[in-house]
Amino acid sequence: TEAGVLGAATIAGIGAGVWSSHAEAVEQMVSLDRTFEPRPAVHEAYEPQYEKYRQIWPLLKDYLRNL
């Protein structure tokens, strides 16, 4: 589910009186079907690429945001 759209729908539902609170809306609209746990080996494999990204992002951010 698109999280932004779901959030907008819950806010609209609260405004329309469908739910009395955010907690009630979330309880009725959100269901968890899986849980993702961190895997240390995967983290280690991606760490060098992430460091490259962190170094290059400041150089490219203005350019990419203007595309």
Side-chain angles (χ1 to χ4, degrees):
T1 302
E2 182 68 38
V5 174
L6 184 59
T10 58
I11 292 169
I14 294 164
V18 175
W19 298 292
S20 61
S21 68
H22 289 284
E24 182 183 356
V26 168
E27 184 179 315
Q28 291 187 19
M29 292 190 65
V30 176
S31 65
L32 302 177
D33 61 344
R34 329 183 248 182
T35 301
F36 295 91
E37 298 293 336
R39 294 182 295 169
V42 174
H43 171 78
E44 290 176 21
Y46 280 100
E47 190 61 30
Q49 290 85 351
Y50 179 63
E51 185 55 38
K52 290 176 187 175
Y53 163 80
R54 287 182 50 124
Q55 290 174 5
I56 200 167
W57 175 248
L59 303 172
L60 293 176
K61 67 181 179 181
D62 292 335
Y63 172 77
L64 294 173
R65 287 180 177 156
N66 289 319
L67 287 179

